[in-house]
Structures are given as structure tokens and as C-alpha cells.
């Protein structure tokens, strides 16, 4: 069922080339994307899988956080990623989709079941995109964990590592699914399988798509239970532990959508955690105040060589106009 925001202006109902959909709009990335796109003049279909989150979002945007001219360009939808028809409704008339999977609030833990759910969601979304005539491009949010987990043996115990020690990791690399299953790296497994399913359907249905393979998203609610962090020690020691600020991630998504030359996959990060100082800073962010105050700094001379590259994205974003300075909440 489609639910439009109360402040939607019916005179703005004519579909146009700057109408885009953000799904799921409830997360840190989705909600900030909505805000940024509104400020850039887009009409935005904000799609939510949770009714309560949608109502909260509508109250927020109805209370002066954006001016009237912007709020009239915002339309809210309930769209369950496992319900194909609700996705079709949310996409109707849109020329673009920004898609990121948000784990259901009642099932926040990543495991094999979550992976199956994420793959089904990606399949539904891409099928719906193929049925939306106006759609020109999909920006699919994936993860660096769909790139960096490999199969090299580091020692006789066969502990998990990222990729070959003598090479850089970039967008051309894919995480090994069997490796993730062996070490229960469910986040990497889910993101890899979902992204592969999306690419397969995009090519089969001739849907234009780019993927943003983001590092660990830095945000105020980040904590030690973040699924991305499984295997963090190995990523750190292998020089492939990367993170990204929310504003940079949002800009990367919009740039990939607006630039007609964008293609394929883009590793997205603006922080590399490869020194003891970086590791201590992150640990203090992840732990509660009482625990983080007791965190001991690691030896100052520990520096691991960076072995992951985002040159492709940096080249794409050269000269990108970020527009107005967006307040990130």
C-alpha cells in the first residue's frame, strides 16, 4: 500500500526526470541521502519497510527541518523489500533508485538466514527496476566486505585473511563465498551474494547499475556489535580495514548517479585504519564511555601497509559539486 506524506502537493504529481527513490530511507545513509537529494532539487520517494520509522520521518520533515518548497517534493512510501509489488509502487515514475538493505529491526543479527533475506530483497528490487520504464540508473549500496575476503593462508592455522599479500585489493576483486562460510563471516557473505544477484539481474534485464562498496560507516550509533567488524583484527593487520564518513558516502552515491560516465563497482572509503593510533581511536568510538576510558593505546610504531585502493572513485569524484553543506544527523 502506498502512503504519501501529508505535506505532498498534488500539483507536483507530474513525473519528471529528477524524481528518484531512496530505499530504505530509515537508516543513517538513506535518511541523509533523502535530505541531500531534496537540497539538490530532486523529488524524492522515500521508501520504508517499517511503518513506525516512516511516521517518525514524516514528523521530522514536517517540523521545519526542510523548508516548505523542499518538503513538497518528498513523498513517503511503505515498501517491504520482500514484497515485490510494494517496491513497484514506490518506484513508479522514478528515473533513479538509491538502494541499501537495512536489516529488519526485529532481526538485527547477521547470519545465514539474514544472507538469504538480503539476496531475496536484492532480487525483488532489481526485478521491480526492470519493470519501471522511466528508470535510468540504480545505485546499489554494497560493502567493502564483498571485495576483500580472500583465501590466502597466513599461517599453519589457516586463520582468515583478506587477499594476497603482494597485491592491492580493488573493485575487480570479489570475496570468496566458501571462505566466508568457513569462518562465519556472515556480513561479507550476505553482501557478496546480494550484490552478485543484483549484478546478474541487472545484466539480464538490461538495468543500468553501479554499486558503492562502502567501508565501515562511521556514525554516532556505531558500536562493537556492528556486523562489519567480524574479522576486524585480520582486516587491520592485512592493511584493508577501511571506513567512511557519512557525508562522503552520500556524496559518492549522488556523484555515481549524476555522472553519466560512472560504471561498475566503486570501493568507497576516506579512512584507512592501519596504525595503532587509528585502532585506538576506533576502539574508543566503539566501546561505551566507561570501557573506552580504560582503553590502552597500542605501541606507537605499529603501521601496516595499506593494501586497498579507491582510485576509481576518487577519479570519478574529481570536481564533484557537493552543493549546499548538508547537516548530517
Amino acid at each position: 500500500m502506498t502512503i504519501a506524506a501529508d505535506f505532498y502537493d498534488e500539483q507536483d504529481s507530474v513525473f519528471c526526470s529528477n524524481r528518484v527513490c531512496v530505499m530504505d530511507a530509515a537508516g543513517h545513509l538513506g535518511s541523509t541521502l533523502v535530505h541531500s537529494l531534496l537540497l539538490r532539487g530532486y523529488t524524492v520517494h522515500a521508501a520504508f519497510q517499517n511503518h513506525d520509522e516512516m511516521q517518525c520521518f514524516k514528523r521530522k520533515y514536517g517540523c521545519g527541518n526542510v523548508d516548505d518548497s523542499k518538503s513538497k517534493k518528498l513523498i513517503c512510501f511503505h515498501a517491504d523489500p520482500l514484497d515485490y509489488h510494494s517496491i513497484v509502487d514506490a518506484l513508479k515514475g522514478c528515473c533513479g533508485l538509491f538502494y541499501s538493505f537495512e536489516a529488519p529491526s526485529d532481526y538485527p543479527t547477521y547470519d545465514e538466514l539474514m544472507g538469504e533475506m538480503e539476496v531475496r530483497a536484492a532480487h525483488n528490487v532489481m526485478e521491480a527496476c526492470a519493470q519501471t520504464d522511466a528508470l535510468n540508473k540504480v545505485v546499489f549500496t554494497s560493502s567493502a566486505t564483498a571485495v576483500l575476503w580472500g583465501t590466502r593462508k597466513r599461517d599453519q592455522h589457516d586463520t582468515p585473511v583478506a587477499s594476497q599479500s603482494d597485491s592491492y585489493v580493488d573493485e575487480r576483486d570479489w570475496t570468496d563465498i566458501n571462505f566466508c562460510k568457513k569462518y562465519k563471516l556472515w556480513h561479507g557473505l550476505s553482501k557478496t551474494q546480494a550484490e552478485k544477484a543484483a549484478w546478474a539481474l541487472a545484466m539480464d534485464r538490461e538495468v543500468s547499475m553501479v554499486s558503492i562498496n562502502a567501508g565501515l560507516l562511521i556514525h554516532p550509533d556505531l558500536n562493537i556489535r556492528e556486523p562489519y567488524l567480524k574479522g576486524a583484527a585480520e582486516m587491520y593487520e592485512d592493511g584493508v580495514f577501511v571506513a567512511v564518513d557519512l557525508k562522503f558516502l552520500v556524496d559518492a552515491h549522488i556523484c555515481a548517479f549524476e555522472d553519466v560516465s560512472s560504471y561498475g563497482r566503486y570501493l568507497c572509503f576516506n579512512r584507512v585504519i592501519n596504525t595503532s593510533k587509528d585502532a585506538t581511536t576506533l576502539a574508543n568510538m566503539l566501546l561505551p564511555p566507561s570501557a573506552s576510558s580504560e582503553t590502552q593505546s597500542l605501541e606507537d610504531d605499529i603501521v601496516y601497509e595499506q593494501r586497498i585502493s579507491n582510485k576509481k572513485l576518487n577519479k570519478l569524484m574529481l570536481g564533484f559539486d557537493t552543493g549546499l553543506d548538508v547537516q548530517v544527523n
Side-chain angles (χ1 to χ4, degrees):
M1 179 176 63
T2 301
I3 304 176
D6 294 337
F7 42 72
Y8 172 50
D9 184 352
E10 291 297 336
Q11 292 181 349
D12 190 40
S13 62
V14 177
F15 295 146
C16 53
S17 60
N18 69 338
R19 185 179 295 264
V20 296
C21 179
V22 176
M23 180 188 303
D24 189 298
H28 291 285
L29 172 60
S31 60
T32 310
L33 261 173
V34 169
H35 191 71
S36 298
L37 290 164
L38 288 171
L39 290 174
R40 292 178 78 86
Y42 287 92
T43 296
V44 180
H45 290 196
F48 303 82
Q49 62 176 308
N50 184 289
H51 278 288
D52 292 337
E53 290 174 337
M54 183 177 70
Q55 294 302 325
C56 179
F57 189 89
K58 288 166 64 176
R59 287 194 297 270
K60 174 182 176 180
Y61 276 85
C63 296
N65 288 354
V66 290
D67 62 55
D68 253 359
S69 64
K70 301 296 187 298
S71 63
K72 290 176 181 178
K73 291 180 172 289
L74 174 65
I75 315 165
C76 294
F77 293 80
H78 174 249
D80 184 341
L82 301 181
D83 178 0
Y84 167 80
H85 295 289
S86 69
I87 302 170
V88 171
D89 287 342
L91 288 176
K92 193 171 295 181
C94 291
C95 68
L97 168 66
F98 296 86
Y99 172 73
S100 60
F101 178 82
E102 290 288 333
S105 57
D106 59 346
Y107 200 94
T109 304
Y110 263 85
D111 56 16
E112 284 186 285
L113 180 60
M114 179 64 73
E116 295 173 4
M117 188 183 305
E118 189 161 356
V119 169
R120 293 201 307 272
H123 186 279
N124 285 340
V125 167
M126 296 310 297
E127 284 285 9
C129 289
Q131 300 302 318
T132 304
D133 293 336
L135 198 79
N136 294 324
K137 184 182 286 188
V138 177
V139 181
F140 186 97
T141 309
S142 186
S143 173
T145 60
V147 172
L148 56 84
W149 286 117
T151 57
R152 177 173 62 86
K153 292 183 179 180
R154 180 161 56 175
D155 56 33
Q156 67 270 27
H157 300 296
D158 190 22
T159 51
V161 295
S163 190
Q164 298 297 328
S165 60
D166 59 350
S167 63
Y168 265 65
V169 177
D170 64 21
E171 296 86 356
R172 294 168 293 183
D173 295 293
W174 281 95
T175 281
D176 185 275
I177 290 174
N178 292 325
F179 183 77
C180 287
K181 289 179 179 178
K182 179 177 181 179
Y183 291 105
K184 296 180 171 56
L185 298 165
W186 304 128
H187 186 270
L189 177 67
S190 298
K191 295 302 179 183
T192 304
Q193 291 180 318
E195 188 189 344
K196 283 191 171 185
W199 276 116
L201 274 165
M203 289 185 285
D204 184 61
R205 303 292 194 272
E206 298 183 343
V207 174
S208 176
M209 176 179 131
V210 295
S211 68
I212 303 295
N213 294 74
L216 175 69
L217 178 58
I218 303 299
H219 58 83
D221 300 326
L222 187 64
N223 60 63
I224 198 66
R225 295 184 299 276
E226 166 61 46
Y228 187 106
L229 292 170
K230 180 70 179 294
E234 289 75 21
M235 288 188 282
Y236 170 61
E237 293 174 7
D238 288 334
V240 295
F241 192 5
V242 292
V244 61
D245 296 318
L246 182 55
K247 180 66 166 64
F248 184 82
L249 182 59
V250 168
D251 286 346
H253 278 72
I254 297 175
C255 178
F257 176 72
E258 293 183 344
D259 194 321
V260 295
S261 69
S262 65
Y263 69 97
R265 310 170 82 203
Y266 290 90
L267 265 171
C268 181
F269 59 89
N270 61 349
R271 301 190 190 192
V272 180
I273 302 166
N274 64 337
T275 70
S276 55
K277 181 179 179 181
D278 297 333
T280 300
T281 300
L282 179 62
N284 289 331
M285 293 176 58
L286 296 172
L287 297 171
S290 58
S292 61
S293 62
E294 301 173 1
T295 301
Q296 298 295 317
S297 178
L298 302 174
E299 295 180 26
D300 292 337
D301 59 350
I302 297 180
V303 179
Y304 294 102
E305 180 185 359
Q306 178 182 339
R307 290 185 38 257
I308 187 168
S309 172
N310 61 350
K311 289 181 180 179
K312 183 181 177 185
L313 178 65
N314 289 340
K315 182 178 180 181
L316 181 74
M317 295 185 69
L318 281 176
F320 173 66
D321 181 11
T322 61
L324 298 174
D325 186 21
V326 179
Q327 181 178 355
V328 177
N329 296 317

